[in-house]
Amino acid sequence: QLLKICRAKVIQRGLLMNVVDAEYQFDRKKLTFFFEAEGRVDFRELVRDLFSIYKTRIWMQQLDKNSCASPEPNCYAGGNGFEVTAG
């Protein structure tokens, strides 16, 4: 459900990114979406949309397409992260 909603918002906003996975932090105070993109993506409005739905901190983590297909620990080679804690 998390991915379905996020992917719909990505399409709605016309962002050139592929959302691969999503996971809550153990205490559910932070929700991370892992995505792939060719370059930089301005997803600030997307993060605001997601925050308004889930009412928790949203973190966007860009995966390195060449490293692996899944966001396992130590699997992605960094990227650009962004979070919003208030709408």
Side-chain angles (χ1 to χ4, degrees):
Q1 188 70 6
L2 294 172
L3 289 176
K4 186 176 180 180
I5 291 171
C6 185
R7 288 174 178 157
K9 292 292 184 182
V10 166
I11 292 168
Q12 178 184 359
R13 295 249 174 229
L15 300 174
L16 299 175
M17 60 191 287
N18 177 32
V19 181
V20 178
D21 199 9
E23 65 181 33
Y24 272 105
Q25 187 173 326
F26 74 96
D27 60 3
R28 299 183 71 84
K29 291 185 178 182
K30 180 176 166 182
L31 175 56
T32 302
F33 289 92
F34 299 91
F35 71 95
E36 296 174 336
E38 289 298 322
R40 293 183 61 88
V41 178
D42 183 0
F43 45 72
R44 291 176 290 185
E45 292 299 320
L46 172 64
V47 170
R48 288 184 184 97
D49 291 345
L50 296 171
F51 177 80
S52 70
I53 294 167
Y54 297 110
K55 303 296 189 227
T56 191
R57 288 183 4 198
I58 302 294
W59 180 263
M60 302 296 291
Q61 179 66 53
Q62 185 171 6
L63 302 176
D64 181 355
K65 285 180 136 182
N66 298 322
S67 62
C68 67
S70 65
E72 296 297 323
N74 302 320
C75 188
Y76 49 87
N80 298 317
F82 183 79
E83 69 180 317
V84 169
T85 55

